[in-house]
Amino acid sequence: MEYSNNTPICRRNKHLNEFERSKIEVLSSLGYSPYRIAKMINRSANTVRNEIKRGTVTQIKAGKSTSSYFAETGHIIYKRNRKNCGSKYKLFKCQNFIEHVYKLFYENKHSFDSIVGSCKTNESFASTDMVCAKTLYNYVDKGLLQISNVDLPFKLKRDTKSKRIRFHKRNLGTSIDLRPEIINSRSEFGHWEIDTVIGSKSKEDNVLLTLTERMTRKQIIRMIPSKTADAVQNSLNELFTECGSLYTKVFKSFTADNGQEFSRLSTLEKYSNLRVYFAHPYSSGERGTNERHNGLIRRFIPKGRRIKDYTHKNIIKVQNWCNSLPRKILNYLTPDQAFEDQIRELFYQ
């Protein structure tokens, strides 16, 4: 003999709301059992029993003690209990890790993600003795760390403006629209983005020429005497000479903006297999890797500060810092490590 299953399909993983608590109050006052109330509101009987127990209040009327369930009381207790839910702060338990974060953040100027990622990769701390990068940012927002949002380089200056592509006013060479997909996908080594960084707006001040390899994020910074095409070409020729026989394999393409200092960049295509592409005007996002690294340089050389005031040793120090910063996109390898792996493969070939 078969029996029909009369057990209702209850709402699961959903907390009682105020409307349901009001129903429980009315039905309970009418003398309905918790099991019958559960059937009527499509809930588990235990859920209703626990709710009635939670919201029941003892009152004295006419010298007699009576107990009744009140939806308002049940909801107040529910909200109070919810405040105690969730994991508790691990701030004091992870104090050694927090001290490590302070040291790398202030002394080495590493980001939270870089610090956490490198600690996991190098197994510097047990997983139970550290927190994730998102938690660190939450601690900053709650004022639990000795770091504020003002100290975070990009937290307060994210650009949310819409972007649009503009047409070229000057044609310096091949458009980025014609750049092959193998370069866009960053799957091949040897493709660079190039730009210049100025200090003070003076023709007498030096300029920084920056190159960033798209695959490994390797950064090269050279100080040049002026923001001119001749100065850029001379610096690149010196760089090619330093690379020796690996020059054609290390430098396969450049992607530049439409600045006048890159007006002669396309002439490199006449003497080698190196390709040169130019981004759209006012579209710095098309050279996002290089622009991101230029932002890192600004941590050490603010806008308006004369570059002539810095020595070549200072510039090399900035370059080394950029290349020794663990990157999430490189599985927390540093650009130096990723670049050396590619150079090692070239030697083997």
Side-chain angles (χ1 to χ4, degrees):
M1 181 177 179
E2 295 183 357
Y3 294 91
S4 60
N5 185 7
N6 295 324
T7 303
I9 301 176
C10 302
R11 292 179 63 204
R12 295 181 180 274
N13 304 319
K14 298 289 185 182
H15 292 194
L16 290 170
N17 54 42
E18 293 182 77
F19 180 69
E20 289 174 315
R21 288 190 174 90
S22 298
K23 279 186 175 181
I24 293 174
E25 180 180 347
V26 173
L27 296 175
S28 178
S29 65
L30 295 176
Y32 286 27
S33 68
Y35 181 78
R36 186 176 179 184
I37 296 173
K39 289 276 189 179
M40 297 180 70
I41 66 174
N42 194 25
R43 285 288 192 169
S44 167
N46 281 336
T47 299
V48 176
R49 289 191 189 98
N50 292 336
E51 176 61 27
I52 292 176
K53 182 179 179 180
R54 183 185 302 117
T56 297
V57 176
T58 301
Q59 295 177 316
I60 299 177
K61 294 182 179 180
K64 295 183 179 181
S65 176
T66 60
S67 297
S68 303
Y69 170 80
F70 292 95
E72 183 179 0
T73 303
H75 191 65
I76 291 174
I77 296 175
Y78 162 76
K79 289 195 295 183
R80 185 183 64 196
N81 292 341
R82 285 293 291 168
K83 291 181 180 180
N84 298 323
C85 294
S87 59
K88 304 301 181 286
Y89 292 139
K90 296 174 61 177
L91 191 62
F92 296 107
K93 183 180 178 181
C94 303
Q95 194 59 40
N96 290 336
F97 172 71
I98 298 299
E99 294 297 331
H100 181 70
V101 170
Y102 288 149
K103 180 179 179 181
L104 292 185
F105 181 82
Y106 283 115
E107 295 182 9
N108 297 347
K109 300 186 183 298
H110 286 191
S111 66
F112 288 163
D113 181 77
S114 174
I115 296 170
V116 174
S118 60
C119 286
K120 288 181 178 179
T121 302
N122 301 325
E123 298 182 351
S124 305
F125 295 88
S127 59
T128 55
D129 295 333
M130 57 185 295
V131 296
C132 66
K134 180 64 170 63
T135 300
L136 288 176
Y137 284 110
N138 290 341
Y139 286 173
V140 171
D141 290 336
K142 295 178 183 297
L144 299 178
L145 297 182
Q146 297 173 13
I147 300 172
S148 63
N149 282 316
V150 177
D151 300 322
L152 301 175
F154 293 98
K155 184 72 178 288
L156 302 180
K157 57 179 182 180
R158 292 289 184 185
D159 186 6
T160 58
K161 295 183 294 185
S162 60
K163 304 295 188 295
R164 63 189 180 94
I165 296 177
R166 306 195 186 194
F167 295 103
H168 290 280
K169 293 183 179 179
R170 63 168 73 103
N171 186 9
L172 300 181
T174 307
S175 171
I176 194 173
D177 293 330
L178 302 178
R179 193 171 67 176
E181 183 58 31
I182 194 172
I183 303 178
N184 296 335
S185 64
R186 303 175 188 265
S187 58
E188 184 181 56
F189 172 71
H191 301 286
W192 299 74
E193 297 176 7
I194 185 171
D195 197 13
T196 53
V197 175
I198 64 173
S200 62
K201 296 183 179 180
S202 171
K203 293 183 179 180
E204 298 178 355
D205 193 17
N206 290 340
V207 176
L208 296 181
L209 178 67
T210 63
L211 299 93
T212 312
E213 206 280 318
R214 286 175 55 81
M215 182 180 182
T216 63
R217 274 67 176 181
K218 173 75 171 182
Q219 176 87 336
I220 296 176
I221 308 174
R222 294 296 173 94
M223 187 184 295
I224 58 178
S226 61
K227 191 178 179 181
T228 60
D230 289 339
V232 170
Q233 292 298 109
N234 292 337
S235 182
L236 290 178
N237 289 336
E238 291 176 4
L239 184 60
F240 297 156
T241 302
E242 293 173 11
C243 291
S245 59
L246 290 178
Y247 145 62
T248 56
K249 296 182 179 180
V250 175
F251 296 97
K252 297 178 182 178
S253 78
F254 285 140
T255 300
D257 61 20
N258 297 273
Q260 196 62 41
E261 68 271 25
F262 300 123
S263 58
R264 290 175 50 194
L265 206 58
S266 294
T267 58
L268 296 173
E269 297 180 338
K270 298 179 181 179
Y271 309 107
S272 66
N273 293 327
L274 191 149
R275 302 290 93 186
V276 180
Y277 304 95
F278 291 91
H280 295 100
Y282 307 102
S283 302
S284 58
E286 294 177 344
R287 297 176 302 97
T289 303
N290 188 243
E291 289 290 341
R292 173 73 173 89
H293 283 73
N294 290 347
L296 296 178
I297 294 174
R298 289 299 187 191
R299 298 190 187 184
F300 303 91
I301 306 177
K303 290 183 179 180
R305 187 75 61 82
R306 284 169 53 87
I307 292 180
K308 271 190 175 182
D309 295 340
Y310 297 88
T311 64
H312 286 280
K313 188 175 181 180
N314 297 143
I315 302 304
I316 292 174
K317 186 176 180 180
V318 175
Q319 175 181 287
N320 291 340
W321 180 87
C322 291
N323 292 326
S324 61
L325 182 66
R327 308 296 173 86
K328 180 179 180 180
I329 202 167
L330 300 176
N331 293 324
Y332 295 102
L333 291 176
T334 66
D336 270 342
Q337 292 171 327
F339 188 81
E340 288 170 5
D341 290 343
Q342 295 299 321
I343 295 297
R344 195 176 295 114
E345 287 188 16
L346 294 180
F347 274 113
Y348 288 152
Q349 292 174 3

